[in-house]
Amino acid sequence: MKVGIIGGGIGGTALAWALLQKGIEVAIFEQADAFGEVGAGVQITPNAVKAIKGMGLYDQLLDRAFYPQAIVGRNWQSAAENFRIPLGQEFRDHYDAPFIHIHRADLLELFATGLPAGICHFGARCTGVEETATGARASFADGSAFEADVIVGADGVRSAVRGSVFGETAMRWTGHMCYRALVPTGGVVDHVSPDSSFWMGPNAHVVTYYVKGGEMVNIVAVAETSEWVAESWSTQTSREEMLATFEGWNGALGRLFADVDEVFAWGLFDRDPMESWVRGHVTLLGDACHPMLPFLSQGAGMAIEDALVLAEALAASPSDVPLALSRYEAERLPRTARVQLEARERGRTYHLPTPEEMAARDAEYARRAREEPRTTGINTDWVYDYDPRAFAAGLRAPEEA
Ligand SMILES: Cc1cc2nc3c(=O)[nH]c(=O)nc-3n(C[C@H](O)[C@H](O)[C@H](O)COP(=O)(O)OP(=O)(O)OC[C@H]3O[C@@H](n4cnc5c(N)ncnc54)[C@H](O)[C@@H]3O)c2cc1C
């Protein structure tokens, strides 16, 4: 079995690593000249940490991680807590994994460093994929082509594989944009708590957390806007614009924003869940098939879960690719669709506009958090509970029985 992966982001490199662990031949094609990630943080929740454990990279992940103490919901002006989910030992024991923060480049490196150079093809921009009699063929901008038993499109929100095999569909402009910045602090500082803090205000919210072992603070500040903003990691904006947008918010945020050097603007787009993402010997993974808003911190996590499940499915039935891909889709599509839609809904609840609506929401958070902080604070138990390793156990069970 030979698998071709289009796209060397977090999802593509995770899949390449997971397939190699199963002894499956892999080639990975990335349009850029090298693997690379932007300077930003990412929250990796227990469900995705379990997938990384399943790939044998747990210790290496923890070496690069920052452990937040809690997920905390805060009032945009007073900083008063309206919920707190402790992330200590009890949380880790319950989910069999911690909740961590990591720099995106460190996460990518986790998967990419172990890939043999000979399987990585750079400067390879895929223009389309088609089925062949026994597998699939990917074509590239330089006129070359590659055939394999399976081709996986892990080429992100604007996936060429998706477009060529499943048809082009328009992305939905959500009317949200986010300011993204990393602030070097040299360590944990007084005005930024060592938590995953969600500051919720009218028509906007801000998320702050540490990465790089506490050396830097990652800022994702989401605002509503009537002007269209490009979906891009490289559109720069100014500190002044960010400060003006969040004028009147808590002073701790103002102090943090004042230390920002570079700010990027990211327009938020999403798509409705797909009905199917398998066609013959071609499938998709990560943002290529389920792009989502970042409000549940799950896009990279879902791509990593996909990678483990797809590798397990292909390893379990290497001579029956359609069976493997249908098992992959059946396991992953309903879950990722639910996460996509729930993330969209968070965009509404985090941004309630009036003081009355915000007070009612916060009272409800507080009530749930008092009852059982872990399970009901912001109701993410169903996301974190999932264990992608159970999929492999389920595949083995009938044969063992
Ligand atoms: C502001 C923000 C905050 C976020 N925070 C979190 C978070 O806290 N936790 C979380 O889990 N997720 C988070 N996400 C989501 C996460 O960043 C994405 O879901 C994740 O990066 C998707 O990975 P991917 O590999 O599917 O796609 P990508 O990272 O987009 O990788 C696709 C790769 O394919 C390559 N490529 C594209 N087209 C071609 C082509 N035609 N030929 C060859 N190569 C191609 C690209 O160069 C790229 O390397 C956040 C997203 C945003 C915008």
Side-chain angles (χ1 to χ4, degrees):
M1 143 111 43
K2 185 163 67 173
V3 178
I5 302 170
I6 311 300
I10 287 164
T13 53
L15 177 64
W17 170 264
L19 288 169
L20 288 173
Q21 301 317 294
K22 300 283 169 198
I24 295 175
E25 195 182 331
V26 181
I28 181 164
F29 299 86
E30 165 57 45
Q31 64 182 2
D33 294 335
F35 293 131
E37 260 296 349
V38 290
V42 64
Q43 315 205 58
I44 296 295
T45 57
N47 44 306
V49 174
K50 282 178 267 193
I52 293 171
K53 265 190 180 183
M55 295 178 195
L57 291 171
Y58 187 51
D59 291 341
Q60 294 89 324
L61 174 74
L62 298 191
D63 285 347
R64 296 160 166 85
F66 179 82
Y67 295 97
Q69 293 176 357
I71 306 171
V72 180
R74 293 184 188 280
N75 180 275
W76 63 295
Q77 279 179 312
S78 67
E81 292 184 10
N82 49 37
F83 65 83
R84 168 172 282 263
I85 305 175
L87 299 176
Q89 198 56 48
E90 197 187 321
F91 178 96
R92 291 178 203 171
D93 289 346
H94 177 83
Y95 293 111
D96 190 27
F99 179 123
I100 62 135
H101 295 152
I102 186 167
H103 192 283
R104 297 178 71 99
D106 292 342
L107 181 62
L108 183 83
E109 186 203 46
L110 181 74
F111 304 119
T113 35
L115 304 182
I119 71 159
C120 304
H121 306 267
F122 297 107
R125 188 170 64 79
C126 179
T127 50
V129 171
E130 59 191 353
E131 291 183 63
T132 64
T134 55
R137 179 190 305 112
S139 305
F140 296 90
D142 64 1
S144 64
F146 176 82
E147 283 194 27
D149 301 298
V150 183
I151 299 277
V152 183
D155 49 345
V157 277
R158 301 194 184 281
S159 170
V161 180
R162 173 186 168 129
S164 73
V165 177
F166 299 90
E168 298 288 356
T169 52
M171 304 244 289
R172 194 180 69 96
W173 162 241
T174 63
H176 293 87
M177 63 157 299
C178 76
Y179 297 90
R180 205 173 51 66
L182 265 187
V183 183
T185 52
V188 174
V189 290
D190 286 347
H191 59 291
V192 187
S193 68
D195 302 310
S196 170
S197 284
F198 282 70
W199 303 75
M200 293 180 224
N203 306 309
H205 78 282
V206 178
V207 184
T208 53
Y209 57 87
Y210 287 91
V211 292
K212 285 275 175 202
E215 291 293 307
M216 293 178 166
V217 175
N218 190 67
I219 301 169
V220 177
V222 181
E224 292 175 16
T225 169
S226 52
E227 283 172 36
W228 186 88
V229 180
E231 183 272 319
S232 151
W233 285 110
S234 55
T235 306
Q236 286 210 336
T237 178
S238 67
R239 172 178 51 204
E240 287 66 34
E241 187 188 312
M242 181 162 80
L243 281 164
T245 304
F246 290 90
E247 198 182 347
W249 286 54
N250 186 266
L253 287 177
R255 268 184 78 189
L256 182 64
F257 290 1
D259 284 338
V260 163
D261 270 340
E262 262 189 336
V263 194
F264 295 89
W266 177 294
L268 293 175
F269 294 77
D270 77 352
R271 294 182 195 272
D272 290 332
M274 291 177 80
E275 282 174 15
S276 168
W277 60 45
V278 174
R279 183 79 40 88
H281 287 220
V282 183
T283 192
L284 304 172
L285 175 148
D287 277 6
C289 47
H290 45 67
M292 57 185 65
L293 293 169
F295 304 153
L296 265 178
S297 312
Q298 290 301 322
M302 289 299 121
I304 295 167
E305 289 182 4
D306 288 348
L308 182 66
V309 169
L310 180 53
E312 295 284 4
L314 289 169
S317 56
S319 53
D320 192 346
V321 168
L323 174 66
L325 297 188
S326 70
R327 282 173 166 166
Y328 163 64
E329 184 185 66
E331 174 72 10
R332 298 300 305 153
L333 200 149
R335 170 165 169 83
T336 55
R338 185 176 175 197
V339 176
Q340 276 178 291
L341 297 177
E342 183 64 24
R344 194 182 277 177
E345 170 62 12
R346 297 298 166 106
R348 191 186 65 78
T349 46
Y350 289 174
H351 287 201
L352 292 174
T354 66
E356 296 73 27
E357 286 169 299
M358 282 193 270
R361 173 199 63 204
D362 295 347
E364 175 62 10
Y365 281 150
R367 184 191 65 75
R368 290 199 235 145
R370 268 194 310 276
E371 278 173 14
E372 173 47 278
R374 182 183 56 73
T375 58
T376 55
I378 45 171
N379 201 11
T380 43
D381 201 41
W382 64 275
V383 184
Y384 303 166
D385 243 343
Y386 179 77
D387 189 343
R389 298 168 302 179
F391 172 75
L395 289 179
R396 279 193 294 270
E399 288 153 31
E400 281 161 9

